Amino acid sequence: MAWLLMALRRNELISSINDHTLEKIRLKSQLDRLSSFSGAIADGNITPSEISSLGSDLFGDALDFMQYANESAQNSAQTQKDYYASLYGNLTQEQYYNNAAVASQAALYYDENGQLDEQKMFSEFYDEALKEFAEKYFTPYLNEKEKEIQAKQAELETLVQSEQAELDELKNSISSQIQSNAIKLS
């Protein structure tokens, strides 16, 4: 009769191992999506098609990133544009030609007619601010989520290994119990 109880425990272990293995696969998929999300925001921007490929668990994070990154980048870009437009707009010819560092920087924002292109300036500052926002605020957040998932994976792996060891031992015990209780015909 003991082997019957052991067979029931064996079935519980098999079910538990299967559940934990499925959870490990789910966590692996989550890690892959996190990696995709990190790659998508590395340039500071994320497209609707990239958001749709992330899955429901990261959809809210992606929308938050879009909202906060956009607000932060717009504020930063506007402040920088106003400052540099004022600075470069007030340069005298003498200052412009006598200061190579200022001239080379200012030249990036002047169009072919010699007019300050504030839209180009804003656009470049906006792109830089998006990248900075992603690196400073979202990448550490995603790294922390990744560490949590990896810790769960390691915990599940340890659990599966211990259950597998118990299962192997149980199978051997069941076999020996059945053999010792078998009716022997001579």
Side-chain angles (χ1 to χ4, degrees), residues 1 7 10 12 18 21 29 64 77 84-85 92-93 96 98 100 107 118 131 134 146-147 154-155 163:
M1 222 25 171
R10 182 195 69 186
E12 288 174 2
N18 289 339
T21 302
S29 176
D64 287 347
Y84 285 107
T92 63
Q93 289 289 73
Y96 185 79
N98 289 336
E118 291 186 22
K131 288 178 190 176
E146 184 177 348
K147 287 178 187 175
E155 183 181 312
E163 288 174 335

Side-chain angles (χ1 to χ4, degrees), residues 30 37 78 88 97 112 141 174:
Q30 224 177 355
F37 189 25
Q78 187 65 45
Y88 296 149
Y97 289 112
E112 60 277 351
Y141 167 74
I174 290 171

Side-chain angles (χ1 to χ4, degrees), residues 5 18 20 22 24-25 31-32 42 49 58 63 65 90 93 103 109 113 115 150 156-158 175 179:
L5 293 174
N18 289 339
H20 292 131
L22 183 62
K24 282 178 19 183
I25 291 169
L31 274 178
D32 291 343
S49 65
L58 293 174
L63 291 179
F65 173 78
N90 295 330
Q93 289 289 73
Y109 302 116
N113 299 325
Q115 298 295 315
Q150 288 172 339
L156 283 172
E157 184 62 37
T158 302
S175 289
Q179 287 175 358

Side-chain angles (χ1 to χ4, degrees), residues 42-106:
D43 64 351
N45 207 351
I46 189 165
T47 65
S49 65
E50 290 171 327
I51 290 175
S52 66
S53 70
L54 292 176
S56 61
D57 57 328
L58 293 174
F59 187 76
D61 290 333
L63 291 179
D64 287 347
F65 173 78
M66 284 179 63
Q67 177 184 352
Y68 296 125
N70 184 47
E71 286 176 19
S72 174
Q74 282 184 342
N75 292 336
S76 177
Q78 187 65 45
T79 302
Q80 287 181 317
K81 180 198 71 84
D82 291 345
Y83 172 77
Y84 285 107
S86 169
L87 177 70
Y88 296 149
N90 295 330
L91 288 177
T92 63
Q93 289 289 73
E94 185 179 315
Q95 291 170 321
Y96 185 79
Y97 289 112
N98 289 336
N99 189 338
V102 171
S104 66
Q105 183 69 25

